[in-house]
Amino acid sequence: MPQSALSHFLYTSMLEAGEPATTVAAIVRHARAANATQGLSGILVFDGQAFCQYVEGPAQAVDRLLERLQRDVRHTRFILQHRGPLAGARRFRQWSMAYALAGEPEMLEGLQALRGPQAVEALEALIPELDLGPSLPA
């Protein structure tokens, strides 16, 4: 697949008040299975309240997922930080959906204020501080 056919997005949001703690595990479990079938890869970072998710893959699959995520009632304050064609290699090709807990809320707070490629770069800078565990086949 040509690189030009790939795109990516990054967003932040907040867990909807009243959602049970098991919601995040269900989201990750579903995302891993669904993303693998759609050729998507990425990461979900959660700090107990806030989400940051980055997804990359075939442009049509990325767009469909973004539309579903924007309508998902399990989170609020959805802010699309970045969306566009993916120039270069995938960042998370080894994970259909990596998951990490942010150790401190401040990790995601700074990222929430950023837009465009700077937001993606900020997420990349956080990766060494996150425990992603072993990679899974995408």
Side-chain angles (χ1 to χ4, degrees), residues 92 107 111 118-130:
F92 295 95
M107 290 178 83
L111 195 144
Q118 295 82 12
V120 176
E121 291 167 8
L123 174 63
E124 282 186 306
L126 291 178
I127 298 303
E129 298 178 44
L130 301 172

Side-chain angles (χ1 to χ4, degrees), residues 13-21 23 27 46 48-51 72-77:
S13 65
M14 301 296 288
L15 183 65
E16 174 65 47
E19 281 292 325
T23 296
I27 289 169
F46 183 61
Q49 295 276 39
F51 293 103
D72 193 328
V73 298
R74 295 173 294 183
H75 63 166
T76 62
R77 297 188 353 214

Side-chain angles (χ1 to χ4, degrees), residues 41-66:
S41 54
I43 184 170
L44 177 67
V45 181
F46 183 61
D47 72 4
Q49 295 276 39
F51 293 103
C52 174
Q53 186 171 17
Y54 171 87
V55 176
E56 59 195 6
Q60 289 182 335
V62 165
D63 291 344
R64 284 191 305 267
L65 176 58
L66 180 57

